[in-house]
Amino acid sequence: MNPLDEVRSSWASLASEINAADETKLVELRSRFLGKKGEIPGLMRHLGSLSADEKPVYGAAVQALRQEVESTLDRLQEQLRSAALKARLESERLDLTLPGDRSEAGTLHPLVALRDEILDLFTGMGFEIADAPEIDTEWFNFSALNVADDHPARDMQDTFFLSRERGEDSLVLRTHTSNYQPHAMRDRKPPFRLLSCGQVYRCDSDATHSPVFTQVEGLVLDKGISFSHLKATIYTMVRALYGEGAVLRFRPSFFPFTEPSAEMDVDCRSVGLDRDGWMEIGGCGMVHPNVLTNSGVDPEEFQGFAFGFGLDRMAMLRHGIKDIGLLTAGDMRFLRQFKGLA
Ligand code: FA5
């Protein structure tokens, strides 16, 4: 048998093996028959021993065999590839008609939603948002605000003291956001309009009092500020939050850091609640000259007003919540009803 027939028949004898070949076997066969030192290129070595007439015939026959081997191997390789792809697609198949895993979208807590609304409202009126520490000294929380040493608010019953010793530098959990006032007056020069919102702490607990609650504090210092500026500002806020029909009353009161001072109550029925009575939402007044002096501001030159609202109370009023504790209890049965808040 001549070498060409030998290679042809060895290729032909592999037919059944070839058809069932895997990827490795195909690579092996490709190298055996078509590789540089493979059987088919090896056939060309015999060209030299052939006559001029035989050479083209022999060359064409070798070329034909090469093409047959090549196309067979290519076809098989392609079949293997598409079978592998089909298997993969099959194993990774997604049934898009199955119901999906729905993840419940979160929603804003009613206190956060209300706080954001109030911050938006006041920034719209030219107020700048600022912060004060929740742990502060007795001086900032009380003395700078003209609260006398023997004032009942300093009493152990009302304030969480963090230091064993009592004194101007001893630390307390702030009892109100008014601690912000002396910080603000020391840190910047009037005129300014500032708003601060944050948590405050008191030994206090019943349906309308919580030991941890949130206050929103405003402070405006400028020349020629009067109580009517204060009233207009508060009315703007209350009407924006509760509607034009909201009835607000200013009740004369006392705070050591404002003079005159008032507490503000909203008529529950006027904001759509099904109950009689007033809900106290905050305190306010004209900044006391002693507070200005304590913080290095000349009361002859600048006057101002301040207010502090209980955010939790305002949320109770808005949503008709009867127990303040629900706002911080983290009970999903209660919180789910505020789903639409954004
Ligand atoms: C003050 O805290 C003053 N710093 C407010 C102020 C600021 C007056 C600036 C003048 C100038 P008062 O203790 O009344 O005031 O508290 C203000 C509001 O916080 C109350 O009207 C009420 O809405 C809310 N509040 C008071 N105590 C609690 C409590 N334990 N739980 C929930 N809200 C409370």
Side-chain angles (χ1 to χ4, degrees), residues 176 178 202 204 209-210 213 215 255 280-283 308 313 324:
H176 51 181
S178 297
R202 292 183 196 178
D204 225 354
H209 293 82
S210 166
F213 60 103
Q215 284 191 335
F255 295 104
E280 181 198 313
I281 57 167
R313 294 274 183 90
I324 197 169

Side-chain angles (χ1 to χ4, degrees), residues 170-196:
S170 63
L171 297 176
V172 295
L173 288 179
R174 66 173 174 188
T175 56
H176 51 181
T177 41
S178 297
N179 73 324
Y180 173 64
Q181 296 185 27
H183 281 289
M185 289 186 235
R186 293 182 138 214
D187 293 349
R188 52 189 102 202
K189 295 246 164 293
F192 53 65
R193 281 174 247 183
L194 298 169
L195 195 80
S196 184

Side-chain angles (χ1 to χ4, degrees), residues 14 17-18 20-32 73 80:
L14 284 169
E17 248 182 82
I18 291 167
D22 61 12
E23 191 84 31
T24 337
K25 183 73 182 168
L26 288 182
V27 171
E28 196 186 302
L29 288 172
R30 196 179 284 277
S31 146
R32 174 175 159 190
L73 291 177
L80 280 181

Side-chain angles (χ1 to χ4, degrees), residues 29-194:
L29 288 172
R30 196 179 284 277
S31 146
R32 174 175 159 190
F33 286 95
L34 302 171
K36 251 191 192 161
K37 295 184 181 161
E39 293 187 22
I40 294 176
L43 291 172
M44 298 311 271
R45 277 200 311 274
H46 304 285
L47 266 183
S49 61
L50 298 176
S51 70
D53 287 346
E54 287 168 328
K55 274 181 186 168
V57 180
Y58 181 81
V62 172
Q63 189 55 22
L65 180 60
R66 175 199 291 277
Q67 272 170 6
E68 184 200 325
V69 171
E70 225 165 34
S71 68
T72 306
L73 291 177
D74 286 351
R75 177 175 47 80
L76 290 174
Q77 190 139 23
E78 187 47 42
Q79 273 174 11
L80 280 181
R81 270 200 203 119
S82 64
L85 180 65
K86 202 170 155 209
R88 195 173 144 206
L89 288 177
E90 199 57 42
S91 72
E92 291 177 5
R93 204 157 75 130
L94 284 180
D95 183 352
L96 297 177
T97 62
L98 285 175
D101 282 341
R102 219 175 266 266
S103 56
E104 232 181 295
T107 186
L108 290 183
H109 188 280
L111 284 178
V112 174
L114 182 60
R115 180 203 64 190
D116 289 354
E117 212 176 311
I118 292 175
L119 295 187
D120 263 4
L121 204 67
F122 278 95
T123 43
M125 289 195 271
F127 280 68
E128 192 188 322
I129 310 299
D131 263 334
E134 282 181 33
I135 295 176
D136 213 347
T137 61
E138 278 204 48
W139 191 83
F140 277 105
N141 195 72
F142 296 123
S143 312
L145 290 166
N146 204 33
V147 180
D149 282 347
D150 57 356
H151 192 280
R154 296 204 190 208
D155 202 295
M156 300 296 282
Q157 310 290 308
D158 288 329
T159 305
F160 292 107
F161 290 92
L162 299 179
S163 312
R164 282 184 196 287
E165 304 296 321
R166 296 283 305 275
E168 298 292 33
D169 291 335
S170 63
L171 297 176
V172 295
L173 288 179
R174 66 173 174 188
T175 56
H176 51 181
T177 41
S178 297
N179 73 324
Y180 173 64
Q181 296 185 27
H183 281 289
M185 289 186 235
R186 293 182 138 214
D187 293 349
R188 52 189 102 202
K189 295 246 164 293
F192 53 65
R193 281 174 247 183
L194 298 169

Side-chain angles (χ1 to χ4, degrees), residues 239-307:
R239 285 180 181 151
L241 294 180
Y242 299 102
E244 285 300 312
V247 175
L248 176 70
R249 93 178 161 192
F250 285 79
R251 185 165 34 83
S253 184
F254 172 78
F255 295 104
F257 34 95
T258 46
E259 180 58 36
S261 305
E263 280 177 297
M264 295 161 286
D265 309 317
V266 172
D267 179 348
C268 294
R269 285 212 183 270
S270 77
V271 296
L273 296 191
D274 187 20
R275 68 177 112 112
D276 289 325
W278 299 86
M279 167 86 82
E280 181 198 313
I281 57 167
C284 65
M286 301 304 292
V287 181
H288 196 290
N290 288 356
V291 175
L292 296 173
T293 312
N294 284 343
S295 302
V297 177
D298 180 1
E300 295 299 323
E301 194 183 359
F302 288 101
Q303 302 77 45
F305 65 79
F307 55 83

